[in-house]
Amino acid sequence: MTSVSALALLGSPRHGNSWTLLNTACQILREQGIKVEMIELHRLQLHPCLGCNACLTTTKCIQSDDMQSLYPKLLSCQYLLLAAPIYAMGLNAQTKILIDRLQPFWGKKYVQKQAVITDPLLASCRRAWYIGVAGSNLPDVFQGAEQVVNYAFKMLEMKKFPSFLVKQLEDKDAVLHRPELLAEIKKAAISLIAAGN
């Protein structure tokens, strides 16, 4: 493993609360000397999974879109930060497409019986973090999203860092009026770094 790197994925197309929280966390990582690349999923060309099952034998996706450039980044980063809002009681569409397209890793792990991450040093320190935002205050609003995110992190062979989940952030810049949340996510980002060391 060479330099420590983090991949920050913004699932929200609105560039509001999810972006603010993710960007705040990324600033902490950069201050600690971690190279961070942020990618906004809505700016990419990502096609839904076709369910063709070709990847179960080849461990590769047959579709030619921006997911092909994302695959190696997902496999090489030490830290993965995924910030995504709740739409209709689940992950928003851009984020769900990304996770559906991790099917080649499922095929590699469970059909081909191969490790997704072959570098043992990298495998031991990979950490994934879900930053979730919801407008409602329903007690189970993150339940579906957490199940899907847990699946994604497992397919990427990353240990899950405790999610940072915030309810009642309906307005686009609502988080800016809750400075305690920005302070909390900074502390959580520092803990994330420590967990990966």
Side-chain angles (χ1 to χ4, degrees):
M1 189 174 64
T2 55
S3 61
V4 178
S5 65
L7 179 63
L9 300 178
L10 178 65
S12 173
R14 192 166 68 158
H15 216 265
N17 298 305
S18 298
W19 180 87
T20 299
L21 291 171
L22 181 62
N23 190 53
T24 301
C26 288
Q27 288 175 355
I28 297 298
L29 269 64
R30 291 188 180 105
E31 289 172 4
Q32 298 301 313
I34 297 174
K35 180 181 179 183
V36 180
E37 179 180 6
M38 184 186 293
I39 296 175
E40 300 181 24
L41 296 181
H42 73 281
R43 299 187 185 279
L44 303 182
Q45 184 183 51
L46 300 178
H47 302 310
C49 176
L50 299 173
C52 66
N53 287 336
C55 64
L56 300 187
T57 55
T58 66
T59 71
K60 307 290 182 184
C61 182
I62 64 170
Q63 298 195 68
S64 296
D65 61 4
D66 288 333
M67 196 68 203
Q68 297 302 331
S69 65
L70 268 183
Y71 284 132
K73 295 176 180 180
L74 287 166
L75 294 177
S76 62
C77 65
Q78 179 176 342
Y79 298 99
L80 174 64
L81 288 71
L82 174 63
I86 298 298
Y87 285 6
M89 294 299 290
L91 289 171
N92 69 305
Q94 291 86 349
T95 306
K96 187 58 168 60
I97 285 177
L98 168 80
I99 294 175
D100 287 349
R101 294 288 299 281
L102 299 182
Q103 186 72 355
F105 301 144
W106 186 92
K108 191 168 187 176
K109 283 176 66 72
Y110 296 109
V111 179
Q112 300 298 324
K113 308 297 183 183
Q114 301 174 22
V116 172
I117 304 299
T118 56
D119 180 344
L121 180 59
L122 178 61
S124 68
C125 64
R126 278 164 59 87
R127 298 292 183 272
W129 190 20
Y130 170 49
I131 300 169
V133 173
S136 80
N137 195 34
L138 294 174
D140 59 349
V141 68
F142 291 109
Q143 182 176 337
E146 283 260 78
Q147 289 180 332
V148 177
V149 167
N150 289 345
Y151 162 84
F153 295 165
K154 184 177 180 180
M155 291 309 102
L156 292 168
E157 296 182 350
M158 304 189 86
K159 293 181 181 178
K160 187 187 179 195
F161 186 75
S163 299
F164 190 90
L165 306 175
V166 185
K167 300 178 182 179
Q168 291 185 298
L169 288 181
E170 182 63 37
D171 295 335
K172 183 177 179 180
D173 296 320
V175 71
L176 297 178
H177 303 291
R178 295 177 63 182
E180 76 280 2
L181 291 177
L182 300 180
E184 288 174 16
I185 200 164
K186 288 178 180 179
K187 291 180 181 178
I190 292 172
S191 297
L192 171 69
I193 297 169
N197 287 335

